[in-house]
Amino acid sequence: MKQPLGVILAGGQATRMGGGDKGLLTLGGRTLLSHVVDRLSPQVAELALNANGDAARFDALDLTVLPDSIDGFVGPLAGVLAGMDWAAERGADTIVTAAADTPFFPGDLVPRLLLASEGMTHPLVLAATPDATRGTARHPTFGLWPVALRDDLRAALNGGLRKVVMWTQQHGGREALFPHEAAFFNVNTPDDLKIAEGML
């Protein structure tokens, strides 16, 4: 399999942060997005950013900015679809997504997702961590997605589907288990940002 393309998902509205771009918040003197770019770019063939609104605010990152192709802020699957469409134009088979507000995700995210996908016709894998009550907890913004299923995903979104796991289960999606839940700590509130400063 060819090396996937990477897509950072930053298309949400950050309501718990009072709106705006969580990815542009500062952590350790640099933006959250800069931390995410540094972790994901060595693992993928090319990198883009899924975000809505004026793309110029991300000029410093020097990334292709992909707006949602489905209107109305319908959730992370819209960003996945935008990434799939971009990857299709480049002749890529798969994309890997990461969230813009999760600065500590594993440096081996992509190889472990690829390993979990071995033997799948359409490689579709979500990152997961151990969970005491549910067995595993999925992290649906961190996944390996097959470009071949983009029209199926478009139809599902246009039909009202919003939940990532509902769609992945329809296509026999797998999990790649990562040992440390803290690696997927995401910044949703001002208090989370303080916790992330401590983790840094």
Side-chain angles (χ1 to χ4, degrees):
M1 185 189 297
K2 289 185 285 190
Q3 192 179 18
L5 304 188
V7 179
I8 299 170
L9 300 176
Q13 295 175 289
T15 49
R16 283 178 282 182
M17 271 291 186
D21 294 294
K22 280 194 288 183
L24 296 179
L25 295 171
T26 303
L27 173 67
R30 302 169 60 230
T31 65
L32 286 176
L33 266 170
S34 296
H35 290 281
V36 174
V37 168
D38 285 354
R39 282 186 182 258
L40 190 56
S41 58
Q43 303 186 53
V44 294
E46 192 177 348
L47 192 56
L49 175 69
N50 161 242
N52 297 297
D54 183 9
R57 66 195 194 275
F58 302 111
D59 280 352
L61 293 169
D62 197 27
L63 294 176
T64 300
V65 179
L66 312 169
D68 291 350
S69 55
I70 307 279
D71 291 334
F73 295 101
V74 299
L77 281 174
V80 172
L81 177 60
M84 286 175 164
D85 286 341
W86 168 73
E89 291 169 7
R90 278 156 175 67
D93 299 324
T94 54
I95 63 168
V96 167
T97 55
D101 61 0
T102 308
F104 308 119
F105 67 87
D108 61 351
L109 174 74
V110 173
R112 290 176 77 145
L113 290 171
L114 289 172
L115 192 64
S117 77
E118 283 187 354
M120 297 182 81
T121 304
H122 298 305
L124 184 55
V125 182
L126 297 181
T129 49
D131 183 279
T133 54
R134 291 173 291 175
T136 59
R138 295 185 192 96
H139 301 280
T141 50
F142 287 85
L144 173 70
W145 310 87
V147 172
L149 291 182
R150 66 193 178 107
D151 289 331
D152 182 285
L153 178 55
R154 195 181 333 273
L157 284 166
N158 284 326
L161 183 98
R162 298 292 178 260
K163 297 214 173 288
V164 173
V165 172
M166 282 182 68
W167 187 75
T168 60
Q169 285 178 334
Q170 288 172 15
H171 297 283
R174 296 178 184 172
E175 294 178 0
L177 193 63
F178 293 82
H180 304 299
E181 189 173 6
F184 293 96
F185 178 82
N186 64 316
V187 176
N188 280 320
T189 66
D191 284 343
D192 289 342
L193 192 58
K194 290 176 189 164
I195 292 167
E197 289 281 359
M199 292 170 72
L200 193 65

